[in-house]
């Protein structure tokens, strides 16, 4: 009797709310971010009462929208997370190699894939797997492997409920609520490290992130990110409230029609940690706060243009860094080459869209299919599809600013999607195909209406 099972979208919504509540209690600054973003969003909506872009359409999901990030240490942990997220209707989408940016991990994002599921609750979790093979020192590598092999980051009951979901095809109400609270345990912060201060230091010296992944008994959520309608306003507000915002907003510049993703964050907290056999506490920094603004999903062509313009901006600065007060100006100048009006973006095939008939009568008078023309003439309204994924250069920038320090080590290891997928025990979905099918479905509906009217 499948109708006795709780819908995956519901379980995801409840889990996302439970995570948010837990993180609020753990990191008070996150509560402040939520309040700040709600404020900015309300002001932005009031100032633009008749805006009709994707963000306006999504105002319902905005209040609950957030992404989180976790880092795990073993293939087993990654594959189990895949099974857990599947219970909440979240699939691995995209492959991100961060070793090129000096971070010894590779990642995917677990998220809903259907347009309707995204509209209900788009909760996503950026999930990174530590690449132990990138630890140079063989004995330290072995020690890390041993510590990780000894831990179990999931509660026995969470594992039993995943088995149950897989064998019976869903969870009942009672099972679903138990599942949410059991899985939450995996993401909880633990102020007691599982290692000595000495081991922590060795791992930390190899890379701070290695210590973060290896030295604790589970995989604490390291940030939760609400979505704002105006990240420039949110950034100013962060500074006004004395939150330590990073200097530069990651991603594209301010635009009339936002593309992809812009992100900012505040610095990770220095938290007190107890090490094994140690009477006085030490510290660990890992958890931070982040805000993002989402724009339209770009096609392969649009994305290539974005990557080119971003690379050009970064290359125009010695060392390819963002340092220097005029970064925002150089970024804006480079992006003048990226059209900022919808008909042109549409005609050049730079982004993905969904369509709605704006003028039925005019469409009925049209004889031949001419989508670009109809969009130009306003017969059909094209609404950009929201970008639901992440940006590796931005992610690296966020990692970097939160790990502190300026030393930028790079790893020469090659990108390794195949080994990531082997560890995940699944392929990762291609994000562009997902946007393409949402757009295709919309074109098909339009075609049916056009045919019926003619
Ligand atoms: C993940 C950083 C990536 C984003 O928004 O790009 C990320 C991490 O620090 O573990 O969350
Ligand atoms: Ni993030």
């Amino acid at each position: 009797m499948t109708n006795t099972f709780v819908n995956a979208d519901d379980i995801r919504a409840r889990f996302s709310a439970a995570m948010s509540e837990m993180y609020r209690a753990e990191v008070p600054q996150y509560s402040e971010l939520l309040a700040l973003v709600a404020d900015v969003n309300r002001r932005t909506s009031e100032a633009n009462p008749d805006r009709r872009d994707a963000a306006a359409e999504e105002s319902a999901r905005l209040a609950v929208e957030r992404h989180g990030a976790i880092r795990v240490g073993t293939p087993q942990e990654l594959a189990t997370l895949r099974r857990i997220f599947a219970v909440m209707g979240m699939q691995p989408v995209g492959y991100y190699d961060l070793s090129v940016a000096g971070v010894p991990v590779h990642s995917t994002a677990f998220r809903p894939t259907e347009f309707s599921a995204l509209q209900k609750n788009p909760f996503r979790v950026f999930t990174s797997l530590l690449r132990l093979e990138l630890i140079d020192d063989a004995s330290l590598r072995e020690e890390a492997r041993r510590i990780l092999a000894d831990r179990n980051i999931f509660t026995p009951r969470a594992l039993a409920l995943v088995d149950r979901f897989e064998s019976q095809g869903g969870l009942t109400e009672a099972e679903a609520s138990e599942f949410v609270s059991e899985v939450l345990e995996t993401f909880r912060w633990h102020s007691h490290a599982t290692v000595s201060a000495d081991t922590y230091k060795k791992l930390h010296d190899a890379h701070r992130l290695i210590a973060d992944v290896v030295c604790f008994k589970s995989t604490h959520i390291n940030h939760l990110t609400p979505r704002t309608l105006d990240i420039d306003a949110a950034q100013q507000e962060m500074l006004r409230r004395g939150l330590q915002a990073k200097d530069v907003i990651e991603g594209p510049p301010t635009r009339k029609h936002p593309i992809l993703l812009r992100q900012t964050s505040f610095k990770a907290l220095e938290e007190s940690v107890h090490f094994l056999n140690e009477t006085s506490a030490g510290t660990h920094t890992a958890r931070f706060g982040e805000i993002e603004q989402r724009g339209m999903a770009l096609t392969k062509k649009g994305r290539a243009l974005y990557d080119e313009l971003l690379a050009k901006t970064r290359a125009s600065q010695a060392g390819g860094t963002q340092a220097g007060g005029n970064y925002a100006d150089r970024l804006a100048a480079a992006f003048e080459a990226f059209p900022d009006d919808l008909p042109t973006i549409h005609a050049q095939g730079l982004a993905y869209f969904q369509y709605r008939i704006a003028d039925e009568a005019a469409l009925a008078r049209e004889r031949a299919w001419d989508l670009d023309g109809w969009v130009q003439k306003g017969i059909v309204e094209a609404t950009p599809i929201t970008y639901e994924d992440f940006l590796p250069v931005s992610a690296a920038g966020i990692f970097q600013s939160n790990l502190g320090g300026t030393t930028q080590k790079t790893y020469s290891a090659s990108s390794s999607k195949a080994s990531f997928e082997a560890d995940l025990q699944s392929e990762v979905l291609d994000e562009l195909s997902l946007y393409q099918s949402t757009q295709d479905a919309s074109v098909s509906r339009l075609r049916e209406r056009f045919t019926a009217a003619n």
Side-chain angles (χ1 to χ4, degrees):
M1 285 267 291
T2 47
N3 61 2
T4 60
F5 294 143
V6 181
N7 188 294
D9 295 338
D10 276 344
I11 305 181
R12 180 173 69 260
R14 285 188 221 177
F15 183 73
S16 166
M19 279 274 253
S20 188
E21 196 178 320
M22 179 176 82
Y23 202 58
R24 260 156 106 136
E26 289 181 350
V27 179
Q29 289 89 332
Y30 168 65
S31 281
E32 182 149 10
L33 272 196
L34 287 183
L36 180 161
V37 165
D39 238 35
V40 167
N41 289 352
R42 189 177 31 74
R43 271 185 277 147
T44 310
S45 304
E46 283 169 7
N48 307 280
D50 46 27
R51 72 187 270 177
R52 295 206 52 194
D53 57 6
E57 302 217 326
E58 286 163 3
S59 56
R61 80 181 211 185
L62 208 58
V64 296
E65 175 156 0
R66 50 188 73 91
H67 82 251
I70 53 175
R71 305 152 184 169
V72 296
T74 68
Q76 179 66 27
E77 291 173 355
L78 181 67
T80 306
L81 281 167
R82 174 183 54 73
R83 296 171 58 211
I84 285 176
F85 286 127
V87 176
M88 306 185 230
M90 297 156 78
Q91 312 295 331
V93 179
Y95 171 75
Y96 304 88
D97 174 22
L98 294 163
S99 68
V100 290
V103 185
V105 302
H106 47 185
S107 322
T108 190
F110 290 97
R111 68 166 177 87
T113 55
E114 298 288 324
F115 184 72
S116 58
L118 286 159
Q119 293 309 91
K120 281 189 194 120
N121 187 307
F123 185 55
R124 336 169 169 76
V125 179
F126 192 90
T127 303
S128 300
L129 174 66
L130 181 62
R131 296 178 71 180
L132 277 180
E133 76 273 17
L134 299 183
I135 302 182
D136 295 331
D137 177 339
S139 76
L140 188 61
R141 190 165 61 233
E142 265 328 294
E143 188 169 2
R145 201 186 302 282
R146 205 160 12 85
I147 296 166
L148 288 168
D150 276 351
R151 76 177 184 184
N152 179 1
I153 66 172
F154 306 103
T155 71
R157 192 61 193 143
L159 296 175
L161 287 165
V162 176
D163 284 342
R164 199 159 170 76
F165 171 84
E166 289 171 356
S167 61
Q168 68 186 11
L171 294 181
T172 64
E173 175 58 44
E175 289 164 347
S177 71
E178 207 189 351
F179 175 82
V180 167
S181 58
E182 290 289 329
V183 171
L184 203 58
E185 290 310 307
T186 296
F187 302 110
R188 196 180 286 287
W189 169 248
H190 296 278
S191 57
H192 287 259
T194 57
V195 301
S196 68
D198 185 49
T199 302
Y200 176 88
K201 184 172 183 318
K202 277 190 292 178
L203 291 166
H204 191 274
D205 287 349
H207 197 294
R208 305 166 68 121
L209 204 95
I210 299 173
D212 184 55
V213 175
V214 175
C215 301
F216 298 89
K217 74 180 219 193
S218 68
T219 172
H220 42 257
I221 182 95
N222 67 57
H223 65 282
L224 271 186
T225 304
R227 174 175 167 197
T228 181
L229 293 174
D230 183 348
I231 199 160
D232 296 300
Q235 171 86 345
Q236 277 181 7
E237 191 58 22
M238 260 164 91
L239 295 170
R240 201 181 64 79
R241 295 189 185 210
L243 291 163
Q244 286 203 319
K246 69 196 287 299
D247 303 332
V248 159
I249 294 174
E250 299 286 347
T254 309
R255 293 167 50 90
K256 187 153 175 283
H257 298 283
I259 54 173
L260 299 172
L261 177 64
R262 301 182 72 209
Q263 299 178 305
T264 183
S265 62
F266 67 72
K267 296 234 160 61
L269 314 172
E270 189 168 288
E271 300 179 275
S272 162
V273 168
H274 300 276
F275 295 104
L276 281 189
N277 315 319
E278 212 70 47
T279 43
S280 60
T283 60
H284 178 66
T285 50
R287 302 192 304 160
F288 62 97
E290 182 187 50
I291 296 177
E292 69 190 11
Q293 177 173 6
R294 289 188 174 266
M296 64 187 94
L298 300 185
T299 58
K300 196 165 183 220
K301 182 179 173 196
R303 178 56 185 266
L305 181 57
Y306 168 80
D307 286 338
E308 179 197 322
L309 300 176
L310 186 68
K312 191 169 143 195
T313 310
R314 293 169 81 95
S316 67
Q317 177 78 19
T321 68
Q322 296 174 328
N326 63 351
Y327 178 79
D329 295 339
R330 286 184 289 117
L331 186 68
F335 273 81
E336 274 166 24
F338 202 115
D340 199 8
D341 68 283
L342 291 182
T344 309
I345 294 172
H346 186 264
Q348 292 189 7
L350 297 172
Y352 292 103
F353 289 87
Q354 280 187 300
Y355 303 97
R356 181 166 37 209
I357 300 171
D359 187 340
E360 296 269 2
L363 187 66
R365 287 193 297 271
E366 293 289 313
R367 294 280 70 97
W369 178 264
D370 177 20
L371 189 48
D372 276 333
W374 299 339
V375 171
Q376 307 261 358
K377 287 188 264 183
I379 296 174
V380 165
E381 183 178 36
T383 308
I385 296 174
T386 299
Y387 188 60
E388 306 287 351
D389 295 288
F390 294 85
L391 295 171
V393 174
S394 299
I398 298 278
F399 265 112
Q400 229 88 55
S401 61
N402 286 295
L403 295 171
T406 46
T407 46
Q408 189 159 331
K409 183 169 171 172
T410 53
Y411 293 94
S412 53
S414 56
S415 162
S416 188
K417 184 173 173 205
S419 86
F420 185 83
E421 291 180 325
D423 290 348
L424 182 66
Q425 293 172 29
S426 157
E427 292 186 343
V428 297
L429 299 174
D430 172 44
E431 60 276 27
L432 295 189
S433 321
L434 295 173
Y435 299 120
Q436 185 69 53
S437 25
T438 302
Q439 174 171 298
D440 288 349
S442 178
V443 172
S444 301
R445 285 192 298 271
L446 183 64
R447 214 176 260 288
E448 276 166 30
R449 300 276 301 276
F450 176 65
T451 313
N454 277 267

